[in-house]
Coordinates of all heavy atoms in Angstrom, one line a residue:
M1384 N 0.9 -1.2 0.0 CA 0.0 0.0 0.0 C 0.9 1.2 0.0 O 1.9 1.3 0.7 CB -0.9 0.0 1.2 CG -1.9 1.1 1.3 SD -2.9 1.1 2.7 CE -3.6 -0.6 2.8
S1385 N 0.6 2.2 -0.8 CA 1.5 3.4 -0.9 C 1.3 4.3 0.3 O 0.3 4.3 1.0 CB 1.1 4.2 -2.2 OG -0.1 4.9 -2.0
T1386 N 2.3 5.1 0.5 CA 2.3 6.0 1.6 C 1.1 7.0 1.4 O 0.4 7.3 2.3 CB 3.6 6.8 1.7 OG1 4.6 5.8 1.9 CG2 3.6 7.7 2.9
A1387 N 1.0 7.5 0.2 CA -0.1 8.5 -0.1 C -1.4 7.9 0.2 O -2.3 8.6 0.7 CB 0.0 8.9 -1.6
F1388 N -1.6 6.6 -0.2 CA -2.9 6.0 0.1 C -3.2 5.8 1.5 O -4.3 6.1 2.0 CB -3.0 4.6 -0.6 CG -4.3 3.9 -0.4 CD1 -5.4 4.3 -1.1 CD2 -4.4 2.9 0.5 CE1 -6.6 3.7 -0.9 CE2 -5.6 2.3 0.7 CZ -6.7 2.6 0.0
R1389 N -2.1 5.4 2.3 CA -2.3 5.3 3.8 C -2.6 6.6 4.4 O -3.5 6.7 5.3 CB -1.0 4.7 4.4 CG -1.0 3.2 4.3 CD 0.2 2.6 5.0 NE 1.2 2.5 3.9 CZ 2.5 2.5 4.0 NH1 3.0 2.7 5.2 NH2 3.3 2.4 3.0
V1390 N -2.0 7.7 4.0 CA -2.2 9.0 4.5 C -3.7 9.4 4.2 O -4.4 9.9 5.1 CB -1.2 10.1 4.0 CG1 -1.7 11.5 4.4 CG2 0.2 9.8 4.5
A1391 N -4.1 9.2 2.9 CA -5.4 9.6 2.5 C -6.5 8.8 3.3 O -7.5 9.3 3.8 CB -5.6 9.3 1.0
R1392 N -6.2 7.5 3.5 CA -7.1 6.6 4.3 C -7.2 7.1 5.7 O -8.3 7.2 6.3 CB -6.7 5.2 4.2 CG -7.7 4.2 4.8 CD -7.3 2.8 4.7 NE -6.1 2.6 5.5 CZ -5.5 1.4 5.6 NH1 -6.0 0.4 5.0 NH2 -4.5 1.3 6.3
R1393 N -6.1 7.4 6.3 CA -6.0 7.9 7.7 C -6.8 9.2 7.9 O -7.6 9.3 8.8 CB -4.6 8.1 8.1 CG -4.4 7.9 9.6 CD -2.9 7.9 10.0 NE -2.1 7.0 9.2 CZ -0.9 7.3 8.7 NH1 -0.4 8.5 8.8 NH2 -0.2 6.4 8.0
R1394 N -6.6 10.1 6.9 CA -7.4 11.3 6.9 C -8.9 11.1 6.8 O -9.6 11.7 7.5 CB -6.9 12.2 5.7 CG -7.3 13.6 5.8 CD -6.7 14.5 4.7 NE -5.3 14.5 4.8 CZ -4.5 14.5 3.7 NH1 -5.0 14.5 2.5 NH2 -3.2 14.4 3.9
C1395 N -9.3 10.2 5.9 CA -10.7 9.8 5.8 C -11.2 9.3 7.1 O -12.3 9.7 7.5 CB -10.9 8.8 4.7 SG -10.6 9.5 3.1
V1396 N -10.5 8.4 7.8 CA -11.0 7.8 9.0 C -11.2 9.0 10.1 O -12.2 9.0 10.8 CB -10.0 6.8 9.6 CG1 -10.3 6.4 11.0 CG2 -10.0 5.6 8.6
K1397 N -10.2 9.9 10.1 CA -10.4 11.0 11.1 C -11.6 11.9 10.7 O -12.3 12.3 11.6 CB -9.1 11.9 11.0 CG -7.9 11.3 11.7 CD -6.7 12.2 11.7 CE -5.5 11.5 12.3 NZ -4.3 12.4 12.2
I1398 N -11.8 12.2 9.5 CA -13.0 13.0 9.1 C -14.3 12.3 9.5 O -15.2 12.9 10.1 CB -13.0 13.2 7.5 CG1 -11.8 14.2 7.2 CG2 -14.3 13.8 7.1 CD1 -11.6 14.3 5.7
I1399 N -14.3 11.0 9.2 CA -15.6 10.2 9.5 C -15.8 10.2 11.0 O -16.9 10.4 11.6 CB -15.5 8.8 8.9 CG1 -15.6 9.0 7.4 CG2 -16.7 8.0 9.4 CD1 -15.3 7.7 6.6
A1400 N -14.7 10.0 11.8 CA -14.8 9.8 13.2 C -15.2 11.2 13.8 O -15.9 11.2 14.8 CB -13.5 9.4 13.8
A1401 N -14.7 12.3 13.3 CA -15.0 13.6 13.8 C -16.4 14.1 13.5 O -17.0 14.9 14.2 CB -14.0 14.6 13.3
A1402 N -17.0 13.5 12.4 CA -18.3 14.0 12.0 C -19.4 13.4 12.8 O -19.3 12.3 13.3 CB -18.5 13.6 10.5
P1403 N -20.5 14.2 13.0 CA -21.6 13.7 13.7 C -22.2 12.5 12.9 O -22.1 12.5 11.6 CB -22.6 14.8 13.8 CG -21.9 16.0 13.3 CD -20.6 15.6 12.6
A1404 N -22.9 11.6 13.5 CA -23.5 10.5 12.8 C -24.7 10.9 12.1 O -25.8 10.6 12.4 CB -23.8 9.4 13.8
T1405 N -24.5 11.7 11.0 CA -25.6 12.2 10.2 C -25.2 12.1 8.8 O -24.3 11.4 8.4 CB -25.8 13.7 10.6 OG1 -24.7 14.4 10.3 CG2 -26.2 13.9 12.0
A1406 N -25.8 12.9 8.0 CA -25.5 12.9 6.5 C -24.0 13.3 6.3 O -23.4 13.0 5.3 CB -26.4 13.9 5.8
T1407 N -23.4 14.1 7.2 CA -22.0 14.5 7.1 C -21.1 13.3 7.0 O -20.2 13.2 6.2 CB -21.5 15.3 8.3 OG1 -22.5 16.4 8.4 CG2 -20.2 15.9 8.1
S1408 N -21.4 12.2 7.7 CA -20.6 11.0 7.6 C -20.7 10.3 6.3 O -19.8 9.8 5.7 CB -21.1 10.0 8.7 OG -20.8 10.5 10.0
L1409 N -21.9 10.4 5.7 CA -22.1 9.8 4.4 C -21.3 10.6 3.4 O -20.7 10.0 2.5 CB -23.6 9.8 4.0 CG -24.5 8.8 4.9 CD1 -26.0 9.0 4.5 CD2 -24.0 7.4 4.6
V1410 N -21.3 11.9 3.5 CA -20.5 12.7 2.6 C -19.1 12.4 2.7 O -18.4 12.2 1.7 CB -20.8 14.2 2.9 CG1 -19.8 15.1 2.1 CG2 -22.2 14.6 2.5
G1411 N -18.6 12.2 3.9 CA -17.2 11.8 4.1 C -16.9 10.4 3.5 O -15.9 10.3 2.8
L1412 N -17.8 9.5 3.6 CA -17.6 8.2 2.9 C -17.5 8.3 1.4 O -16.7 7.7 0.8 CB -18.7 7.2 3.3 CG -18.7 6.6 4.7 CD1 -19.9 5.9 5.0 CD2 -17.5 5.7 4.9
V1413 N -18.4 9.1 0.8 CA -18.4 9.3 -0.6 C -17.1 10.0 -1.0 O -16.4 9.6 -2.0 CB -19.6 10.2 -1.1 CG1 -19.4 10.6 -2.5 CG2 -20.9 9.4 -0.8
L1414 N -16.6 11.0 -0.3 CA -15.4 11.6 -0.6 C -14.2 10.7 -0.5 O -13.3 10.7 -1.3 CB -15.1 12.8 0.3 CG -16.1 14.0 0.1 CD1 -15.8 15.1 1.1 CD2 -15.8 14.6 -1.3
C1415 N -14.2 9.8 0.5 CA -13.1 8.9 0.7 C -13.1 7.9 -0.5 O -12.0 7.5 -1.0 CB -13.2 8.1 2.0 SG -12.9 9.2 3.4
A1416 N -14.2 7.4 -0.9 CA -14.3 6.5 -2.0 C -13.7 7.2 -3.3 O -13.0 6.6 -4.1 CB -15.7 6.1 -2.3
S1417 N -14.0 8.5 -3.4 CA -13.5 9.2 -4.6 C -12.0 9.3 -4.6 O -11.3 9.1 -5.6 CB -14.1 10.6 -4.6 OG -15.4 10.5 -4.7
V1418 N -11.4 9.5 -3.4 CA -10.0 9.6 -3.2 C -9.3 8.3 -3.6 O -8.4 8.2 -4.4 CB -9.6 10.0 -1.8 CG1 -8.1 9.7 -1.5 CG2 -10.0 11.4 -1.5
A1419 N -9.9 7.2 -3.1 CA -9.4 5.8 -3.4 C -9.4 5.5 -4.9 O -8.5 5.0 -5.5 CB -10.1 4.8 -2.6
A1420 N -10.6 5.9 -5.5 CA -10.7 5.6 -6.9 C -9.8 6.4 -7.8 O -9.4 6.0 -8.9 CB -12.2 5.9 -7.3
A1421 N -9.4 7.6 -7.3 CA -8.5 8.5 -8.1 C -7.0 8.2 -7.8 O -6.2 8.9 -8.3 CB -8.8 9.9 -7.8
E1422 N -6.7 7.1 -7.1 CA -5.4 6.9 -6.7 C -4.4 6.5 -7.8 O -3.3 6.8 -7.8 CB -5.3 5.8 -5.6 CG -5.7 6.4 -4.2 CD -4.7 7.3 -3.6 OE1 -3.5 6.9 -3.7 OE2 -5.1 8.3 -3.1
L1423 N -4.9 5.7 -8.8 CA -3.9 5.2 -9.8 C -3.3 6.3 -10.6 O -4.0 7.3 -10.9 CB -4.7 4.2 -10.7 CG -4.9 2.8 -10.3 CD1 -5.6 2.0 -11.4 CD2 -3.6 2.1 -9.9
V1424 N -2.1 6.2 -10.8 CA -1.4 7.2 -11.6 C -2.0 7.2 -13.0 O -2.2 6.2 -13.7 CB 0.2 6.8 -11.7 CG1 0.8 7.7 -12.8 CG2 0.8 7.0 -10.4
S1425 N -2.2 8.4 -13.5 CA -2.8 8.6 -14.8 C -1.7 8.6 -15.9 O -0.5 9.0 -15.6 CB -3.5 9.9 -14.9 OG -3.7 10.3 -16.2
E1426 N -2.0 8.1 -17.1 CA -1.0 8.1 -18.2 C -0.6 9.5 -18.6 O 0.4 9.8 -19.2 CB -1.6 7.4 -19.4 CG -1.7 5.9 -19.1 CD -2.4 5.2 -20.3 OE1 -2.6 5.8 -21.4 OE2 -2.6 4.0 -20.2
T1427 N -1.5 10.5 -18.2 CA -1.2 11.9 -18.6 C -0.5 12.6 -17.4 O -0.2 13.8 -17.6 CB -2.5 12.6 -18.9 OG1 -3.4 12.5 -17.8 CG2 -3.1 12.0 -20.2
D1428 N -0.2 12.0 -16.3 CA 0.5 12.6 -15.2 C 1.9 12.9 -15.8 O 2.5 12.1 -16.5 CB 0.7 11.5 -14.1 CG 1.5 12.0 -13.0 OD1 2.8 11.8 -13.1 OD2 1.0 12.6 -12.0
P1429 N 2.5 14.1 -15.5 CA 3.8 14.5 -16.1 C 4.9 13.5 -15.9 O 5.6 13.2 -16.8 CB 4.1 15.8 -15.4 CG 2.7 16.4 -15.1 CD 1.8 15.2 -14.7
A1430 N 5.0 13.0 -14.6 CA 6.0 12.0 -14.4 C 5.8 10.7 -15.1 O 6.8 10.1 -15.6 CB 6.1 11.7 -12.9
A1431 N 4.6 10.3 -15.2 CA 4.2 9.1 -16.0 C 4.5 9.2 -17.5 O 5.0 8.3 -18.1 CB 2.8 8.7 -15.7
M1432 N 4.2 10.4 -17.9 CA 4.4 10.7 -19.4 C 5.9 10.6 -19.7 O 6.3 10.1 -20.8 CB 3.9 12.1 -19.7 CG 2.3 12.0 -19.8 SD 1.6 13.6 -20.3 CE 2.0 13.7 -22.0
K1433 N 6.8 11.1 -18.8 CA 8.2 11.1 -19.0 C 8.7 9.6 -19.2 O 9.6 9.3 -20.0 CB 9.0 11.7 -17.9 CG 9.0 13.2 -17.9 CD 9.8 13.7 -16.8 CE 9.7 15.2 -16.7 NZ 10.3 15.8 -15.5
L1434 N 8.0 8.7 -18.5 CA 8.4 7.3 -18.6 C 7.5 6.5 -19.6 O 7.6 5.3 -19.7 CB 8.2 6.6 -17.2 CG 9.1 7.2 -16.1 CD1 8.8 6.5 -14.7 CD2 10.6 7.1 -16.4
K1435 N 6.7 7.2 -20.3 CA 5.8 6.7 -21.3 C 4.9 5.5 -20.7 O 4.7 4.5 -21.3 CB 6.6 6.2 -22.5 CG 7.3 7.3 -23.2 CD 8.1 6.9 -24.4 CE 8.7 8.1 -25.0 NZ 9.5 7.8 -26.1
Y1436 N 4.5 5.8 -19.4 CA 3.7 4.8 -18.7 C 2.3 4.5 -19.4 O 1.7 5.4 -19.9 CB 3.4 5.3 -17.3 CG 2.3 4.5 -16.6 CD1 2.6 3.2 -16.1 CD2 1.1 5.0 -16.3 CE1 1.7 2.4 -15.4 CE2 0.1 4.3 -15.7 CZ 0.4 3.0 -15.2 OH -0.5 2.3 -14.5
K1437 N 2.0 3.2 -19.5 CA 0.7 2.8 -20.0 C 0.1 1.9 -19.0 O 0.7 0.9 -18.6 CB 0.8 2.1 -21.4 CG 1.3 2.9 -22.5 CD 0.3 3.9 -23.0 CE 0.8 4.7 -24.1 NZ 0.0 5.9 -24.4
A1438 N -1.2 2.1 -18.7 CA -1.9 1.3 -17.7 C -2.1 -0.1 -18.3 O -2.2 -1.1 -17.6 CB -3.2 1.9 -17.3
D1439 N -2.2 -0.2 -19.6 CA -2.3 -1.5 -20.3 C -1.0 -1.6 -21.1 O -0.8 -1.0 -22.1 CB -3.5 -1.4 -21.3 CG -3.6 -2.7 -22.1 OD1 -2.7 -3.6 -22.0 OD2 -4.6 -2.9 -22.7
A1440 N -0.1 -2.5 -20.6 CA 1.2 -2.7 -21.2 C 1.2 -3.0 -22.7 O 2.0 -2.6 -23.5 CB 2.0 -3.8 -20.5
T1441 N 0.1 -3.7 -23.1 CA 0.0 -4.1 -24.5 C -0.2 -2.9 -25.5 O 0.0 -3.0 -26.7 CB -1.1 -5.1 -24.8 OG1 -2.4 -4.4 -24.4 CG2 -1.0 -6.3 -23.9
K1442 N -0.5 -1.7 -24.9 CA -0.7 -0.5 -25.7 C 0.6 0.4 -25.7 O 0.5 1.5 -26.1 CB -1.9 0.3 -25.2 CG -3.1 -0.6 -25.3 CD -4.4 0.2 -25.2 CE -5.5 -0.6 -25.6 NZ -6.6 -0.7 -24.7
A1443 N 1.7 -0.1 -25.2 CA 3.0 0.6 -25.1 C 3.8 0.2 -26.3 O 4.4 -0.9 -26.4 CB 3.7 0.4 -23.8
P1444 N 3.9 1.1 -27.4 CA 4.7 0.7 -28.6 C 6.2 0.5 -28.3 O 6.8 -0.3 -29.1 CB 4.5 1.9 -29.5 CG 3.9 3.0 -28.7 CD 3.3 2.4 -27.5
E1445 N 6.7 1.1 -27.3 CA 8.2 0.9 -27.0 C 8.5 -0.4 -26.3 O 9.6 -0.8 -26.2 CB 8.7 2.0 -26.1 CG 8.5 3.4 -26.7 CD 7.2 4.0 -26.4 OE1 6.3 3.4 -25.8 OE2 6.9 5.2 -26.9
R1446 N 7.5 -1.1 -25.8 CA 7.7 -2.3 -25.0 C 8.2 -3.4 -26.0 O 7.5 -3.8 -26.9 CB 6.4 -2.7 -24.3 CG 6.4 -3.9 -23.5 CD 5.1 -4.0 -22.7 NE 4.8 -5.3 -22.1 CZ 3.9 -6.1 -22.6 NH1 3.2 -5.8 -23.7 NH2 3.7 -7.3 -22.0
Q1447 N 9.3 -4.0 -25.7 CA 9.9 -5.1 -26.5 C 9.6 -6.5 -26.0 O 9.5 -7.4 -26.7 CB 11.4 -4.9 -26.6 CG 11.8 -3.5 -27.2 CD 11.5 -3.4 -28.6 OE1 11.7 -4.3 -29.4 NE2 10.9 -2.3 -29.0
D1448 N 9.6 -6.6 -24.6 CA 9.4 -7.9 -24.0 C 7.9 -8.1 -23.7 O 7.4 -7.4 -22.8 CB 10.2 -7.9 -22.7 CG 10.1 -9.2 -21.9 OD1 9.3 -10.1 -22.3 OD2 10.9 -9.4 -21.0
P1449 N 7.3 -9.1 -24.3 CA 5.8 -9.3 -24.1 C 5.5 -9.8 -22.6 O 4.4 -9.8 -22.2 CB 5.4 -10.3 -25.1 CG 6.7 -11.0 -25.5 CD 7.8 -10.0 -25.3
Q1450 N 6.6 -10.2 -21.9 CA 6.4 -10.6 -20.5 C 6.6 -9.5 -19.5 O 6.5 -9.7 -18.3 CB 7.3 -11.8 -20.2 CG 7.2 -13.0 -21.1 CD 5.8 -13.5 -21.2 OE1 5.2 -13.7 -20.2 NE2 5.3 -13.8 -22.4
A1451 N 6.9 -8.3 -20.0 CA 7.2 -7.2 -19.1 C 6.0 -6.5 -18.7 O 5.2 -6.0 -19.5 CB 8.2 -6.2 -19.7
F1452 N 5.7 -6.5 -17.4 CA 4.5 -5.8 -16.8 C 5.0 -5.1 -15.5 O 6.0 -5.5 -14.9 CB 3.4 -6.8 -16.5 CG 2.8 -7.4 -17.7 CD1 3.2 -8.7 -18.1 CD2 1.8 -6.8 -18.4 CE1 2.6 -9.3 -19.2 CE2 1.2 -7.4 -19.5 CZ 1.6 -8.6 -19.9
C1453 N 4.2 -4.2 -15.0 CA 4.5 -3.6 -13.7 C 4.7 -4.6 -12.6 O 5.6 -4.5 -11.8 CB 3.5 -2.6 -13.3 SG 3.5 -1.0 -14.3
D1454 N 3.8 -5.6 -12.7 CA 3.8 -6.6 -11.5 C 5.0 -7.5 -11.5 O 5.2 -8.3 -10.6 CB 2.5 -7.4 -11.5 CG 2.3 -8.3 -12.6 OD1 3.1 -8.4 -13.5 OD2 1.2 -8.9 -12.7
N1455 N 5.9 -7.4 -12.5 CA 7.2 -8.2 -12.4 C 8.4 -7.2 -12.6 O 9.5 -7.6 -13.0 CB 7.2 -9.3 -13.4 CG 7.1 -8.9 -14.9 OD1 7.3 -7.8 -15.2 ND2 6.8 -9.9 -15.7
C1456 N 8.2 -6.0 -12.3 CA 9.2 -4.9 -12.3 C 9.8 -4.8 -10.9 O 9.1 -4.9 -9.9 CB 8.6 -3.6 -12.8 SG 9.7 -2.2 -12.7
T1457 N 11.1 -4.5 -10.9 CA 11.8 -4.4 -9.6 C 11.2 -3.1 -8.8 O 11.4 -3.1 -7.6 CB 13.3 -4.2 -9.7 OG1 13.6 -3.1 -10.6 CG2 13.9 -5.4 -10.3
F1458 N 10.7 -2.2 -9.5 CA 10.2 -1.0 -8.8 C 8.8 -1.2 -8.2 O 8.2 -0.2 -7.6 CB 10.2 0.2 -9.8 CG 11.5 0.6 -10.3 CD1 11.9 0.4 -11.6 CD2 12.5 1.1 -9.4 CE1 13.2 0.7 -12.0 CE2 13.7 1.4 -9.8 CZ 14.1 1.2 -11.1
Y1459 N 8.2 -2.3 -8.5 CA 6.7 -2.5 -8.1 C 6.6 -3.3 -6.8 O 7.3 -4.3 -6.6 CB 6.1 -3.3 -9.2 CG 4.6 -3.6 -9.1 CD1 3.7 -2.6 -9.5 CD2 4.2 -4.8 -8.6 CE1 2.3 -2.9 -9.4 CE2 2.8 -5.1 -8.5 CZ 1.9 -4.1 -8.9 OH 0.6 -4.4 -8.8
T1460 N 5.7 -2.9 -5.9 CA 5.4 -3.6 -4.7 C 3.9 -3.7 -4.5 O 3.2 -2.7 -4.6 CB 6.0 -2.8 -3.5 OG1 7.3 -2.5 -3.7 CG2 5.8 -3.6 -2.2
A1461 N 3.4 -4.9 -4.3 CA 2.0 -5.1 -4.1 C 1.8 -6.5 -3.5 O 2.7 -7.3 -3.5 CB 1.2 -5.0 -5.4
K1462 N 0.6 -6.7 -3.0 CA 0.2 -8.0 -2.5 C 0.0 -8.9 -3.8 O -0.3 -8.4 -4.8 CB -1.1 -8.0 -1.8 CG -1.0 -7.4 -0.4 CD -2.3 -7.4 0.3 CE -2.2 -6.8 1.6 NZ -3.5 -6.7 2.3
D1463 N 0.3 -10.2 -3.7 CA 0.2 -11.1 -4.8 C -1.2 -11.1 -5.3 O -2.2 -11.1 -4.6 CB 0.5 -12.6 -4.3 CG 1.9 -12.8 -4.2 OD1 2.7 -12.0 -4.7 OD2 2.3 -13.8 -3.5
G1464 N -1.3 -11.0 -6.7 CA -2.6 -11.0 -7.3 C -3.4 -9.6 -7.3 O -4.5 -9.6 -7.9
A1465 N -2.8 -8.6 -6.7 CA -3.5 -7.3 -6.6 C -3.5 -6.7 -8.0 O -2.6 -6.9 -8.9 CB -2.7 -6.4 -5.7
A1466 N -4.6 -5.9 -8.3 CA -4.7 -5.3 -9.6 C -3.8 -4.0 -9.7 O -3.6 -3.5 -10.8 CB -6.2 -4.9 -9.8
S1467 N -3.3 -3.6 -8.6 CA -2.4 -2.4 -8.7 C -1.4 -2.5 -7.5 O -1.6 -3.3 -6.6 CB -3.2 -1.1 -8.6 OG -3.9 -1.0 -7.3
G1468 N -0.4 -1.7 -7.6 CA 0.7 -1.7 -6.6 C 1.5 -0.4 -6.7 O 1.2 0.4 -7.6
A1469 N 2.4 -0.2 -5.7 CA 3.2 1.0 -5.6 C 4.4 0.9 -6.6 O 5.0 -0.1 -6.6 CB 3.6 1.2 -4.2
C1470 N 4.6 2.0 -7.3 CA 5.8 2.1 -8.1 C 6.8 3.0 -7.5 O 6.6 4.2 -7.4 CB 5.4 2.5 -9.5 SG 6.8 2.9 -10.5
A1471 N 8.0 2.5 -7.2 CA 9.0 3.3 -6.6 C 9.6 4.4 -7.6 O 10.0 5.4 -7.2 CB 10.2 2.4 -6.1
A1472 N 9.5 4.1 -8.9 CA 10.0 5.0 -9.9 C 9.0 6.2 -10.0 O 9.4 7.2 -10.6 CB 10.2 4.3 -11.2
L1473 N 7.8 6.0 -9.6 CA 6.8 7.1 -9.6 C 6.5 7.6 -8.2 O 5.3 7.9 -7.9 CB 5.6 6.7 -10.4 CG 5.8 6.5 -11.9 CD1 4.6 5.9 -12.6 CD2 6.1 7.8 -12.6
G1474 N 7.5 7.6 -7.4 CA 7.3 8.1 -6.0 C 6.4 7.2 -5.1 O 5.9 7.8 -4.1
G1475 N 6.3 6.0 -5.4 CA 5.5 5.1 -4.6 C 4.0 5.1 -4.9 O 3.2 4.5 -4.2
R1476 N 3.6 5.9 -5.9 CA 2.2 6.0 -6.3 C 1.7 4.7 -7.0 O 2.5 4.0 -7.6 CB 2.0 7.2 -7.2 CG 2.2 8.5 -6.4 CD 1.9 9.7 -7.2 NE 2.8 9.9 -8.3 CZ 2.6 10.6 -9.4 NH1 1.4 11.2 -9.5 NH2 3.5 10.7 -10.3
P1477 N 0.4 4.4 -6.9 CA -0.1 3.2 -7.4 C -0.2 3.2 -9.0 O -0.6 4.2 -9.6 CB -1.5 3.1 -6.9 CG -1.6 4.1 -5.8 CD -0.6 5.1 -6.1
V1478 N 0.2 2.0 -9.5 CA 0.1 1.8 -11.0 C -0.6 0.5 -11.2 O -0.7 -0.3 -10.3 CB 1.5 1.8 -11.6 CG1 2.2 3.1 -11.6 CG2 2.4 0.7 -11.0
A1479 N -1.1 0.3 -12.4 CA -1.8 -0.9 -12.7 C -0.8 -2.1 -12.8 O 0.3 -1.9 -13.4 CB -2.5 -0.7 -14.1
A1480 N -1.2 -3.2 -12.3 CA -0.3 -4.4 -12.3 C 0.1 -4.8 -13.7 O 1.2 -5.2 -14.0 CB -1.1 -5.6 -11.6
K1481 N -0.9 -4.6 -14.6 CA -0.6 -5.0 -16.0 C -0.1 -3.8 -16.9 O -0.3 -3.8 -18.1 CB -1.8 -5.7 -16.7 CG -2.1 -7.0 -16.0 CD -0.9 -7.9 -16.1 CE -1.0 -9.2 -15.2 NZ 0.3 -9.9 -15.1
G1482 N 0.4 -2.7 -16.2 CA 0.9 -1.6 -16.9 C 2.4 -1.8 -17.2 O 3.0 -2.9 -17.0
W1483 N 3.0 -0.8 -17.8 CA 4.4 -0.8 -18.2 C 4.9 0.6 -18.4 O 4.1 1.5 -18.8 CB 4.6 -1.6 -19.4 CG 6.0 -1.8 -19.9 CD1 6.9 -2.7 -19.5 CD2 6.7 -0.9 -20.8 NE1 8.1 -2.6 -20.2 CE2 8.0 -1.4 -21.0 CE3 6.3 0.2 -21.5 CZ2 8.9 -0.8 -21.8 CZ3 7.3 0.8 -22.4 CH2 8.6 0.3 -22.5
C1484 N 6.2 0.8 -18.3 CA 6.8 2.1 -18.7 C 8.2 1.8 -19.1 O 8.8 0.7 -18.9 CB 6.7 3.1 -17.6 SG 8.0 3.0 -16.3
T1485 N 8.9 2.8 -19.6 CA 10.3 2.7 -20.1 C 11.3 2.4 -19.0 O 12.4 2.0 -19.3 CB 10.7 3.9 -20.9 OG1 10.5 5.1 -20.1 CG2 9.9 4.0 -22.2
A1486 N 10.9 2.6 -17.7 CA 11.8 2.4 -16.6 C 11.8 0.9 -16.2 O 12.5 0.5 -15.2 CB 11.5 3.3 -15.5
W1487 N 10.9 0.1 -16.8 CA 10.8 -1.3 -16.4 C 12.1 -2.0 -16.3 O 13.0 -1.9 -17.1 CB 9.9 -2.1 -17.4 CG 9.7 -3.5 -17.0 CD1 8.7 -4.0 -16.1 CD2 10.5 -4.6 -17.3 NE1 8.9 -5.3 -16.0 CE2 9.9 -5.8 -16.7 CE3 11.6 -4.8 -18.2 CZ2 10.4 -7.0 -16.8 CZ3 12.1 -6.1 -18.3 CH2 11.5 -7.2 -17.6
E1488 N 12.2 -2.7 -15.2 CA 13.5 -3.5 -14.9 C 13.0 -4.8 -14.3 O 12.4 -4.8 -13.3 CB 14.4 -2.7 -14.0 CG 15.8 -3.2 -13.9 CD 16.6 -2.3 -13.1 OE1 16.8 -1.1 -13.5 OE2 17.1 -2.7 -12.0
G1489 N 13.4 -5.9 -15.0 CA 13.0 -7.2 -14.5 C 13.9 -7.7 -13.4 O 15.0 -7.1 -13.2
Y1490 N 13.4 -8.6 -12.7 CA 14.2 -9.2 -11.6 C 15.3 -10.0 -12.1 O 15.3 -10.6 -13.2 CB 13.3 -10.1 -10.7 CG 12.4 -9.3 -9.8 CD1 11.0 -9.2 -10.2 CD2 12.8 -8.7 -8.7 CE1 10.2 -8.5 -9.3 CE2 12.0 -8.0 -7.9 CZ 10.7 -7.9 -8.2 OH 9.8 -7.2 -7.4
Ligands
SF4_761 FE1 5.5 -0.1 -13.9 FE2 8.1 -0.6 -13.3 FE3 7.4 1.4 -14.9 FE4 6.8 1.5 -12.3 S1 8.9 1.5 -13.2 S2 5.5 2.1 -14.0 S3 6.3 -0.6 -11.9 S4 7.1 -0.7 -15.3

C-alpha cells in the first residue's frame, strides 16, 4: 500500500470519526471513495508521461518484452494478485499491475 494511500485513508478515518453520525458521515464516505478511486497514476501525469507509462502494457509501442509488466518490475510492490501496486519509480504511487513504462526493470 502506498504512503499516499495510507495518509489519505487515515485522513478519511479522522474525518468520519469527527463528523456527527448524520449525513456528514455519508458525505465523508463518498469523498473517501473518490480519493481511493483516483489513486492510480494517470497516463497523462507528467512523471508518468516522461516514462511513457501505459496502464495497459500491450498498448505501449516501446515495449519489446511481451512478458514485461509492472507486476514483475523491480520498482513494483503489491500483494500477490493485486490489480495495482506501488511504483518506486513514480514516488510510490499506485500503478496498474498490467501496466508498463520505459523504466521497467525485470528481476
Ligand atoms: Fe511499472 Fe516498473 Fe514502470 Fe513503475 S517502473 S510504471 S512498476 S514498469
Side-chain angles (χ1 to χ4, degrees):
M1384 186 182 304
S1385 76
T1386 303
F1388 181 76
R1389 274 183 267 153
V1390 170
R1392 188 177 65 178
R1393 209 173 305 135
R1394 193 174 301 143
C1395 288
V1396 170
K1397 285 181 183 174
I1398 290 168
I1399 291 167
T1405 61
T1407 307
S1408 295
L1409 291 174
V1410 170
L1412 283 172
V1413 170
L1414 289 174
C1415 291
S1417 300
V1418 168
E1422 283 288 315
L1423 279 183
V1424 170
S1425 164
E1426 292 177 2
T1427 57
D1428 176 273
M1432 286 180 74
K1433 281 184 188 168
L1434 299 178
K1435 299 182 179 178
Y1436 168 74
K1437 294 287 182 195
D1439 178 351
T1441 64
K1442 298 197 169 129
E1445 298 86 358
R1446 181 171 165 255
Q1447 302 292 312
D1448 180 352
Q1450 302 305 314
F1452 294 97
C1453 288
D1454 65 3
N1455 59 17
C1456 173
T1457 57
F1458 297 111
Y1459 184 84
T1460 308
K1462 288 182 181 176
D1463 285 344
S1467 63
C1470 170
L1473 290 171
R1476 292 184 294 158
V1478 293
K1481 294 304 171 192
W1483 181 88
C1484 84
T1485 56
W1487 181 86
E1488 195 173 296
Y1490 285 103

